[in-house]
């Protein structure tokens, strides 16, 4: 069951071929994790979506309050019998059809779809996980590259490249040849007591889990979080590398080329992340 503009419809409901998300990638989406009816980091997701809609010059409806969209997500979970388990929610907003590149209107519609997922909290992913650089295409840093839009051609081609080369993921470079993110999340690189992640100005996604991890690290006296450009040469000197997104939480990288990594810091941060979620869910 899918939520289309507040109406619960069968999952096989057909969208128009004039849909602007389909035709021009004129759409934004949020991937959200819910656990037993609790929407994790909902405020951060909501404000990122509103900021992204403004950048895309979409008209924000008066009823698009945080409370309204939360109600719509919970209604969709209830219709799919997922209020008492964990789920992956995709909230997509797209400009209404009409026009070519230049739209006839800046009004929007939304779709909410949900799928069950197994883990209620974030588990340590300590299996073998190998990455390499994806150098076929580069991200040009701009505000648009930081948004979660339907324009994900690089991520699709990069994922196929990773599969063809028996990799679990690839690290993406910008046009300045700096490492900015992975195909499905932000990247953190650890050397001694410095934890580094790419700044938003380098073109990386303004990730929700990225924000949570930065906030957690700021409260750990033993480590310093630095938002600076990451050179590919730093990867082989690093003690640890991990990837973050809201579904997996923290994914430690175990191998990059000939370098093998630890996961001690990742493990520590994951524990603190789960504590943060438990505290927020009891408030």
């Amino acid at each position: 069951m899918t939520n289309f503009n507040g109406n619960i419809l069968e999952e096989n409901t057909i969208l128009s071929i004039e849909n602007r998300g389909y035709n021009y990638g004129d759409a934004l989406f949020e991937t959200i994790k819910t656990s037993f009816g609790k929407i994790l980091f909902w405020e951060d997701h909501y404000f990122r979506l509103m900021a992204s809609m403004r950048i895309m010059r979409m008209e924000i409806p008066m009823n698009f309050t945080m409370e309204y969209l939360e109600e719509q997500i919970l209604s969709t979970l209830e219709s799919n019998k997922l209020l008492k388990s964990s789920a992956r929610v995709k909230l997509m907003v797209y400009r209404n059809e009409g026009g070519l590149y230049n739209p006839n209107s800046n009004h929007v519609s939304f779709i909410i779809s949900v799928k069950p997922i197994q883990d209620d909290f974030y588990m340590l992913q300590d299996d073998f996980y190998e990455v390499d650089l994806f150098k076929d295409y580069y991200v040009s840093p701009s505000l648009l590259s930081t948004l979660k839009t339907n324009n994900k051609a690089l991520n699709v081609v990069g994922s196929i490249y990773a599969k063809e080369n028996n990799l679990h993921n690839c690290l993406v470079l910008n046009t300045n040849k700096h490492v900015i993110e992975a195909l499905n999340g932000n990247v953190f690189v650890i050397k001694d007591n410095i934890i580094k992640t790419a700044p938003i100005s380098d073109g990386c996604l303004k990730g929700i889990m990225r924000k949570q991890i930065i906030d957690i690290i700021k409260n750990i006296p033993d480590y310093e979080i630095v938002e600076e450009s990451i050179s590919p040469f730093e990867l082989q000197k690093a003690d640890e590398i991990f990837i973050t997104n809201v579904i997996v939480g923290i994914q430690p990288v175990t191998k990059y080329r000939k370098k093998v990594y630890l996961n001690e810091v990742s493990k520590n941060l994951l524990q603190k992340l789960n504590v943060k979620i438990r505290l927020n869910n009891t408030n």
Side-chain angles (χ1 to χ4, degrees):
M1 305 293 282
T2 302
N3 187 323
F4 176 66
N5 279 338
N7 299 308
I8 303 295
L9 304 174
E10 292 290 338
E11 193 177 25
N12 59 0
T13 301
I14 296 172
L15 288 175
S16 164
I17 60 168
E18 298 298 323
N19 181 283
R20 293 188 62 85
Y22 166 72
N23 275 292
Y24 306 113
D26 191 4
L28 297 159
F29 69 94
E30 291 288 324
T31 304
I32 302 162
K33 181 172 179 176
T34 64
S35 181
F36 290 85
K38 294 283 186 178
I39 305 173
L40 304 190
F41 321 120
W42 171 232
E43 186 173 296
D44 291 328
H45 279 290
Y46 175 78
F47 285 116
R48 180 173 71 172
L49 178 62
M50 294 302 107
S52 300
M53 288 177 71
R54 290 189 184 97
I55 292 168
M56 289 288 287
R57 300 181 185 273
M58 292 175 170
E59 191 163 312
I60 300 174
M62 291 294 290
N63 69 333
F64 257 42
T65 63
M66 193 156 68
E67 293 75 18
Y68 171 75
L69 290 176
E70 181 178 13
E71 286 171 10
Q72 296 305 317
I73 291 170
L74 294 176
S75 170
T76 314
L77 290 170
E78 184 178 16
S79 299
N80 288 275
K81 298 181 172 55
L82 289 173
L83 279 178
K84 294 184 178 179
S85 58
S86 292
R88 177 193 189 111
V89 175
K90 186 170 186 178
L91 166 58
M92 180 175 288
V93 176
Y94 58 89
R95 208 181 318 260
N96 289 344
E97 64 184 62
L100 301 173
Y101 287 149
N102 187 19
N104 291 343
S105 162
N106 287 321
H107 291 92
V108 299
S109 294
F110 70 89
I111 296 175
I112 301 171
S113 57
V114 297
K115 291 181 179 178
I117 55 176
Q118 189 172 3
D119 297 324
D120 299 325
F121 286 97
Y122 293 113
M123 310 295 287
L124 181 67
Q125 310 290 330
D126 57 359
D127 295 336
F128 178 69
Y129 197 89
E130 184 175 5
V131 305
D132 205 339
L133 300 178
F134 180 59
K135 297 187 288 186
D136 289 5
Y137 304 102
Y138 303 97
V139 171
S140 179
S142 73
L143 264 182
L144 287 180
S145 68
T146 70
L147 307 181
K148 291 201 77 167
T149 71
N150 271 19
N151 298 287
K152 292 295 181 185
L154 184 149
N155 304 69
V156 171
V157 177
S159 297
I160 295 169
Y161 171 88
K163 185 177 181 180
E164 289 174 346
N165 288 275
N166 296 315
L167 300 166
H168 296 89
N169 209 331
C170 282
L171 305 183
V172 178
L173 303 169
N174 65 14
T175 47
N176 298 316
K177 307 301 188 290
H178 292 137
V179 177
I180 60 167
E181 59 192 8
L183 292 168
N184 66 342
N186 293 101
V187 172
F188 289 76
V189 177
I190 305 164
K191 178 63 179 175
D192 299 324
N193 68 327
I194 303 293
I195 303 179
K196 186 188 275 196
T197 193
I200 299 300
S201 57
D202 271 6
C204 67
L205 179 72
K206 195 174 181 181
I208 299 301
M209 185 55 68
R210 174 186 184 275
K211 180 180 183 296
Q212 312 309 317
I213 298 303
I214 288 173
D215 290 345
I216 289 170
I217 296 169
K218 284 178 178 176
N219 290 313
I220 303 176
D222 294 342
Y223 292 100
E224 179 185 354
I225 180 69
V226 177
E227 294 182 63
E228 283 183 2
S229 297
I230 299 169
S231 160
F233 299 109
E234 295 178 57
L235 301 178
Q236 295 192 352
K237 296 178 181 177
D239 301 320
E240 286 189 43
I241 298 175
F242 62 85
I243 297 163
T244 62
N245 65 48
V246 294
I247 300 301
V248 174
I250 295 174
Q251 172 62 64
V253 171
T254 60
K255 188 180 180 188
Y256 165 73
R257 298 189 175 172
K258 293 183 179 179
K259 181 66 186 280
V260 176
Y261 303 98
L262 305 170
N263 66 4
E264 291 306 311
V265 178
S266 306
K267 194 182 299 182
N268 184 20
L269 291 174
L270 195 69
Q271 290 170 346
K272 293 181 184 299
L273 175 64
N274 281 323
V275 168
K276 180 178 182 178
I277 292 168
R278 287 191 180 96
L279 288 174
N280 288 343
N281 281 356
T282 56
N283 289 341

